[in-house]
Amino acid sequence: MDININLKDYKLNVRTCAFIRCGEEVLLCEHKTKDYYSLPGGHVKVGESSKDALKRELKEELNYDIHNDELILTRIVENFFIKENNEKVHEYLFIYRYDLDKNLYNGDFKNLENENITMNWVRKEAFILLNVAPGICKGIIANPEFQHIISNKI
């Protein structure tokens, strides 16, 4: 069961995602039904660590296996925001950095779980100009070191 809980005034989410780099490019999810991009990942399940959840999500979505020691925690974001439907969300987001070896990579990734999401490699220069949610992840380009960020947009 995903940690995605409806409370009286808020929805509580716990998510994890990957900032995947290959050379000068970053892997992004393009949502056909939304006006933003995101990093690949998903919800953490009850009893699951954020790192294990990310490994599971990348296997389910991309059929790609990652080992624990290859994922580097780069951001913990406490994110407070209001969705389009006026629902208040309190989200804990764990962002891991992963550097994909150009020599081992053979081309494109395809999202196996959702036909409304395409996976795109984007140059770092373009990444910072795109509407990426949450926008806070753009800072990883300039500073990949670990940061704990609280973002309150309520």
Side-chain angles (χ1 to χ4, degrees):
M1 171 189 291
D2 290 343
I3 304 176
N4 184 9
I5 303 166
N6 288 312
L7 303 169
K8 182 179 177 187
D9 295 328
Y10 279 88
K11 177 177 274 193
L12 174 65
N13 280 331
V14 180
R15 297 189 67 250
T16 185
C17 62
F19 183 85
I20 301 174
R21 296 184 301 190
C22 186
E24 295 298 311
E25 296 182 317
V26 177
L27 186 64
L28 285 178
C29 301
E30 181 178 1
H31 303 262
K32 294 179 184 175
T33 59
K34 299 178 182 169
D35 65 346
Y36 63 86
Y37 293 82
S38 65
L39 298 174
H43 285 94
V44 177
K45 294 184 181 300
V46 173
E48 185 178 47
S49 73
S50 60
K51 191 178 267 192
D52 286 342
L54 183 56
K55 289 171 33 185
R56 174 185 50 75
E57 287 286 350
L58 294 176
K59 180 65 175 176
E60 289 172 2
E61 292 178 6
L62 306 175
N63 196 28
Y64 192 77
D65 291 308
I66 292 181
H67 303 286
N68 271 344
D69 59 345
E70 297 174 311
L71 292 169
I72 300 166
L73 184 61
T74 189
R75 297 287 188 278
I76 295 176
V77 181
E78 294 182 56
N79 203 5
F80 300 84
F81 61 95
I82 299 174
K83 292 172 72 171
E84 296 104 18
N85 64 359
N86 289 324
E87 179 180 42
K88 292 180 185 176
V89 179
H90 179 174
E91 177 178 82
Y92 290 94
L93 176 63
F94 298 85
I95 304 175
Y96 289 87
R97 197 174 74 236
Y98 176 69
D99 292 314
L100 188 61
D101 186 340
K102 281 184 176 183
N103 298 322
L104 300 176
Y105 178 60
N106 66 351
D108 295 326
F109 281 117
K110 181 178 180 180
N111 190 305
L112 303 174
E113 281 194 324
N114 189 334
E115 62 188 33
N116 289 318
I117 297 176
T118 55
M119 308 306 294
N120 297 313
W121 287 103
V122 178
R123 294 201 52 83
K124 290 179 183 180
E125 304 82 38
F127 173 75
I128 59 173
L129 300 174
L130 292 172
N131 183 17
V132 179
I136 247 164
C137 66
K138 292 180 182 183
I140 298 170
I141 294 286
N143 180 7
E145 299 305 314
F146 175 80
Q147 292 182 355
H148 173 218
I149 297 171
I150 298 171
S151 174
N152 192 340
K153 297 196 172 141
I154 293 181

